[in-house]
Amino acid sequence: DQQVKQNSPSLSVQEGRISILNCDYTNSMFDYFLWYKKYPAEGPTFLISISSIKDKNEDGRFTVFLNKSAKHLSLHIVPSQPGDSAVYFCAASELQGAQKLVFGQGTRLTINP
Amino acid sequence: GAGVSQSPRYKVAKRGQDVALRCDPISGHVSLFWYQQALGQGPEFLTYFQNEAQLDKSGLPSDRFFAERPEGSVSTLKIQRTQQEDSAVYLCASSLARAGGGYTFGSGTRLTVV
């Protein structure tokens, strides 16, 4: 039972364009969502988060959008840079600061020069 | 230290062998977590400590898995009688109590059971 789903295993985007990574969840108790970025042979690195009281959070080139009615969130990266090439995981928890995160399967993003 | 340190980075174990994986969290981080990441999947929660207390072990897949953090700092994840399905990357993470910004992960230990 996959409570957090990233349906696109991979995504290829041209440098300078917008990258959009999608995530769906099924557990209506989730109210805090995070995106992590992972390079090979390293642990995931926290990127950006959003709580359910918001529908948008922005940090530099990264923006996360939350649609609670659709149980859907997305990460927008603009403009995309070669260093953004990595695996991106979305994660969810039932309470901000809660100690258990449920992760999606990841999307491998490749930025082409 | 500056980050979460895990050792060893790689471990090859024969089926049936016991293994111990070590995690040194960021100094002062109260919360410590273990996750298991199978190939091509996202990390899956195993267990959580707050200081030395193991508050949630709901993700441990069997009683062959055991974790401890006796002094509220370094933690060890032990797997007894390893099986091939235990092959995965084991990730440790730490955070300040109720850190809303997410955990800091270590680089993981890649366990291969042959």
Side-chain angles (χ1 to χ4, degrees):
Chain A
D1 176 28
Q2 194 75 28
Q3 295 186 70
V4 178
K5 298 181 183 179
Q6 294 176 255
N7 292 317
S8 298
S10 63
L11 176 66
S12 187
V13 174
Q14 193 169 0
E15 182 179 0
R17 299 288 184 96
I18 184 170
S19 296
I20 300 176
L21 297 101
N22 294 302
C23 180
D24 297 291
Y25 62 96
T26 58
N27 187 345
S28 57
M29 297 299 293
F30 287 150
D31 63 0
Y32 188 62
F33 305 89
L34 307 91
W35 284 93
Y36 282 82
K37 175 180 178 179
K38 186 182 184 303
Y39 293 118
E42 295 184 11
T45 302
F46 170 73
L47 202 53
I48 193 169
S49 63
I50 189 168
S51 76
S52 59
I53 61 173
K54 294 184 174 182
D55 54 18
K56 176 182 174 181
N57 188 26
E58 191 171 354
D59 183 3
R61 297 186 298 114
F62 302 91
T63 302
V64 56
F65 294 92
L66 175 63
N67 183 334
K68 281 194 69 179
S69 61
K71 293 191 178 66
H72 177 84
L73 64 154
S74 61
L75 175 68
H76 293 209
I77 306 172
V78 55
S80 301
Q81 299 175 354
D84 297 330
S85 295
V87 177
Y88 290 78
F89 293 97
C90 68
S93 71
E94 293 187 12
L95 184 67
Q96 182 173 354
Q99 309 308 327
K100 176 178 178 178
L101 295 180
V102 179
F103 283 84
Q105 309 96 307
T107 297
R108 180 177 300 278
L109 175 65
T110 302
I111 306 302
N112 302 307
Chain B
V4 178
S5 178
Q6 292 188 246
S7 60
R9 285 298 310 272
Y10 304 93
K11 176 69 179 177
V12 178
K14 291 185 178 179
R15 190 168 46 186
Q17 185 180 351
D18 296 350
V19 298
L21 312 179
R22 177 187 169 104
C23 173
D24 280 272
I26 293 174
S27 178
H29 277 195
V30 169
S31 300
L32 184 145
F33 316 84
W34 285 98
Y35 281 76
Q36 179 190 58
Q37 185 176 14
L39 190 63
Q41 300 297 315
E44 290 195 6
F45 173 82
L46 293 177
T47 187
Y48 155 60
F49 291 85
Q50 186 168 315
N51 295 307
E52 69 278 3
Q54 189 174 20
L55 299 186
D56 187 345
K57 55 181 180 179
S58 61
L60 296 176
S62 77
D63 59 7
R64 296 185 297 103
F65 287 71
F66 172 76
E68 61 182 5
R69 192 186 186 198
E71 297 178 359
S73 178
V74 171
S75 177
T76 304
L77 176 66
K78 297 179 179 178
I79 309 174
Q80 297 177 322
R81 305 181 303 281
T82 53
Q83 301 177 4
Q84 283 192 316
E85 60 262 31
D86 299 335
S87 296
V89 174
Y90 290 85
L91 293 164
C92 177
S94 70
S95 78
L96 295 169
R98 308 199 71 77
Y103 318 148
T104 301
F105 279 90
S107 298
T109 294
R110 179 177 296 278
L111 173 65
T112 303
V113 181
V114 297

